[in-house]
Amino acid sequence: MRQLKERNRCNRSVRHLKIQGKIWLKNLKSGLDLIRESQVRGTRNNFLHDGSFHEAVAPVLAVAQCFCLMPVSGISAPTYRGLSFSRRSWRFWYSSLYLCSTSVDLAFSIRRVAHSVLDVRSVEPIVFHVSILIASWQFLNLAELWPGLMRHWAAVERRLPGYSSCLQRARPARRLKMVAFVLLAVSLMEHLLSIISVVYYDFCPRRKDPVESYLHGTSAQLFEVFPYSNWLAWLGKIQNVLLTFGWSYMDIFLMMLGMGLSEMLARLNRSLEQQVRQPMPEAYWTWSRTLYRSIVELIREVDDAVSGIMLISF
């Protein structure tokens, strides 16, 4: 009798554990389903680079557009097919407004030089403004050519030997981003240090407040015509920041193009090194020669497109 009671008690405990286990598994399954529904499933494209120059240079162009340069649309598109240029886009009008403000600032600088002693220090702002004005105009023209240029670039890239691993495909983009970030950071540091040196070591201040004295000196060409005001001083400073960025960005942009073109030649060179000691058919060497000529033609097209920027940079 006692054994029967103990067996019934064990059976009830087992049934209770089974019921609780089913409830726990059901709750666990519903929780996992909620987590699965709330997350976006990752695909292979989320973890791989395509190794294209369009993908690598997109962040650099995005920074340029923040400072009124390269008003081309679709730089964040997955492929070059998303690129476009329109004179009706806000990017174009944004860049055009920047060109107009730079021209007005140049006119005030010329007026100041005309009413002062002509020397190297007084002519320097005119050279600075003229250089950035021409470079900004060249960037505006380049934006119109950029979709077609990237189309030709992508056509040559498709004919190049493929990368052997995912790390090699990601290396060009990482390299371009690292170089651009370092150079932009150094330029920003140099500009900030120059501001600090002028604000705290101004031996002949124009105003009592050191910040106002710095702003007055930055836009002195404006305040020879208009009375000093903080809002006009800050507008002049914003214009100065845009000009200073354009001055540094010219060199960085040309370096990005040079790195992209050299990567093409390096990929072809790696393929030749792998086959140099093997008996290859004549068709392989014909293909290599034709591909090399395609890269050279692309270099000439890029050179024609950026020759004005290159001249101002030098």
Side-chain angles (χ1 to χ4, degrees), residues 194-267:
S194 67
I195 293 176
I196 294 173
S197 65
V198 173
V199 170
Y200 288 97
Y201 299 99
D202 190 0
F203 296 104
C204 299
R206 297 175 176 84
R207 315 279 294 185
K208 292 182 179 181
D209 186 4
V211 177
E212 287 187 5
S213 179
Y214 168 74
L215 294 175
H216 189 283
T218 303
S219 306
Q221 69 275 10
L222 298 178
F223 300 120
E224 290 186 357
V225 180
F226 304 103
Y228 178 84
S229 61
N230 287 328
W231 69 268
L232 186 58
W234 281 109
L235 284 179
K237 180 56 187 174
I238 293 174
Q239 178 71 28
N240 178 260
V241 170
L242 294 176
L243 294 173
T244 305
F245 173 82
W247 182 269
S248 301
Y249 184 78
M250 283 189 296
D251 305 330
I252 297 174
F253 180 76
L254 293 175
M255 291 176 66
M256 299 299 102
L257 291 179
M259 293 171 63
L261 293 171
S262 65
E263 176 63 20
M264 286 187 166
L265 294 171
R267 288 173 63 177

Side-chain angles (χ1 to χ4, degrees), residues 40-106:
V40 178
R41 181 175 178 82
T43 62
R44 193 167 183 265
N45 294 329
N46 298 126
F47 305 98
L48 294 180
H49 294 268
D50 59 9
S52 66
F53 181 75
H54 166 75
E55 177 197 45
V57 81
V60 183
L61 297 182
V63 174
Q65 291 187 352
C66 295
F67 292 87
C68 311
L69 299 176
M70 286 297 292
V72 59
S73 303
I75 56 175
S76 59
T79 65
Y80 69 92
R81 294 183 179 88
L83 293 172
S84 63
F85 175 83
S86 174
R87 296 183 182 273
R88 298 180 180 179
S89 65
W90 65 267
R91 292 179 177 86
F92 174 79
W93 291 107
Y94 184 41
S95 299
S96 300
L97 180 62
Y98 169 64
L99 286 173
C100 293
S101 65
T102 304
S103 302
V104 172
D105 203 12
L106 173 61

Side-chain angles (χ1 to χ4, degrees), residues 28 56 125 141-142 192 208 216 234 259 271-272:
L28 178 62
N141 293 332
L142 178 61
L192 293 177
K208 292 182 179 181
H216 189 283
W234 281 109
M259 293 171 63
S271 175
L272 294 174

